[in-house]
Amino acid sequence: MIKDELRLIIPNSHEGDISKGLLAKILKQAQISKDEWEAL
């Protein structure tokens, strides 16, 4: 995912879905709102 000059790579060694909790933490740290994420 790329936002402005921030590039966010979400590693997933299990090749499956990541949990909602982990996704929420990652988005919060990257300062990406739920609305921005869902618009992708």
Side-chain angles (χ1 to χ4, degrees):
M1 173 176 194
I2 299 174
K3 178 183 178 186
D4 299 323
E5 294 183 20
L6 174 66
R7 181 182 178 114
L8 179 63
I9 298 173
I10 303 173
N12 187 1
S13 61
H14 300 291
E15 297 182 12
D17 292 338
I18 62 172
S19 70
K20 290 180 182 181
L22 177 57
L23 179 58
K25 288 180 183 181
I26 292 168
L27 295 176
K28 183 176 181 179
Q29 288 179 8
Q31 298 178 341
I32 299 169
S33 72
K34 182 179 177 182
D35 291 335
E36 286 178 294
W37 176 256
E38 291 178 349
L40 296 176

